[in-house]
Amino acid sequence: MDRGKAGSKHHLIVAAHGIPLAAITTDGNRNDATQPIPLIQAVPPIRGKRSRPLRRPKHL
């Protein structure tokens, strides 16, 4: 993305089998290195049995 042009970037995180877990959209001129932490925090908790809940998938 050129600095002078308007645009957007779509950041996506998927599970090991390709199932999308979270997606965010940022400005086109924003650095990609600043987005992994907000993207991981956007992953919702895993639903399952009523025991100790898993917060994040083990492998991304």
Side-chain angles (χ1 to χ4, degrees), residues 13-19 21 40 43 46 54-60:
I13 191 165
V14 298
H17 298 289
I19 300 169
L21 299 175
I40 291 172
V43 175
I46 299 171
L54 297 174
R55 297 303 298 172
R56 302 267 191 273
K58 291 182 181 180
H59 303 283
L60 299 175

Side-chain angles (χ1 to χ4, degrees), residues 25-60:
T25 304
T26 59
D27 298 335
N29 58 357
R30 183 153 312 176
N31 192 345
D32 291 335
T34 62
Q35 298 310 308
I37 300 299
L39 191 58
I40 291 172
Q41 290 174 346
V43 175
I46 299 171
R47 291 183 165 174
K49 294 187 273 184
R50 297 191 76 140
S51 62
R52 190 175 82 209
L54 297 174
R55 297 303 298 172
R56 302 267 191 273
K58 291 182 181 180
H59 303 283
L60 299 175

